Amino acid sequence: MSKIKAPKGAPFARILGVGGYRPVRVVPNEVILETIDSSDEWIRSRSGIETRHWASDEETVAAMSVEASGKAIADAGISADQIGAVVVSTVSHFSQTPAIATEIADKLGTNKAAAFDISAGCAGFGYGLTLAKGMIVEGSAEYVLVIGVERLSDLTDLEDRATAFLFGDGAGAVVVGPSEEPHIGPTVWGSEGDKAGTIKQTVPWDRFKVGDVSDLPLDSKGEIKFPAITQEGQAVFRWAVFEMAKVAKEALEASGLSPDDLDVFIPHQANERIIDSMVKTLKLPGHVTVARDVRTTGNTSAASIPLAMERLLATGEAKSGDTALVIGFGAGLVYAATVVTLP
């Protein structure tokens, strides 16, 4: 018989507060058209994107995260020293170690909170939310801060017609805490590594070691390009529309709900055509509010779901207590879907 004492966590967990930060600079499609042969009409019809935000040198991954987190902590009605763990999902923190989460935890004034980064691309928020729920129910933390943050402008090839218009910067954060009722449903998540090549970094960092760089990609000036995110657009579109609709349905079923029970749908803000196709495939009723933050924020990867959630609540399009289906999907290919009660 085990001598280990059983953990005393909360019965359930819920999102208690949300916050977001969008960089000051707003970049319209006209700026993107300076480096690719396209048109504003083509970009809007292909993606729905009208503008995106790009960070300045001062708007670092850490700085944006601290701003978003401060809002989430205030919204949750707690203090930073009550945060027991900080989970940061990002692919654009360029120092391999230490984790940026440790710097964020310190700047927020937590009391030596556990802190770590995860890399799950556009599904990262869902992964972080699932980890937070587990920590609270298990009892290793009372409150967990989950952050999705990206500076994808640093990983954008502005000469790549297929991706130059897609990406934006920003940070979204939520505080997850204890609950007497279930407000975060079971997570349906997974990966399809056989499709990993459909979204990837063009060049791995180790290629920049001293040595032969003769086959590295060059820009229009003949200079070596910084690594960027590239994707096979049609393959990703088909996968997202057909396979992720199935995952979304599984998440609803796992929570014991049907589309009619939903108030809000917050998919990863990858592309408005994907969002529209998912809404159609899921047969969502007309009363369901659908997040379309992609139009003015672009694709911010791990930050897109919390940023969209924050905007819906701020504008009154969604309200506290609404039932929302959230689903993230992206590089890996990885995915995570669950049903939550909005804070």
Side-chain angles (χ1 to χ4, degrees), residues 39-59:
S39 68
D40 177 63
E41 180 183 3
W42 186 88
I43 292 173
R44 291 184 188 226
S45 65
R46 296 286 292 181
S47 67
I49 299 173
E50 303 166 8
T51 60
R52 73 284 292 147
H53 295 255
W54 283 356
S56 66
D57 290 343
E58 291 74 28
E59 291 168 316

Side-chain angles (χ1 to χ4, degrees), residues 259-326:
D260 290 336
D261 296 313
L262 289 176
D263 301 302
V264 184
F265 179 45
I266 311 178
H268 164 49
Q269 302 293 290
N271 178 309
E272 193 164 35
R273 288 174 61 218
I274 292 176
I275 294 171
D276 288 339
S277 296
M278 291 184 71
V279 168
K280 183 177 180 180
T281 302
L282 289 168
K283 298 180 181 179
L284 294 183
H287 73 264
V288 176
T289 297
V290 180
R292 299 184 184 278
D293 194 43
V294 67
R295 293 173 179 171
T296 55
T297 306
N299 180 342
T300 56
S301 188
S304 80
I305 290 175
L307 278 174
M309 183 184 295
E310 183 234 17
R311 174 158 283 174
L312 288 175
L313 289 166
T315 60
E317 296 173 81
K319 63 184 184 300
S320 175
D322 278 353
T323 300
L325 169 63
V326 299

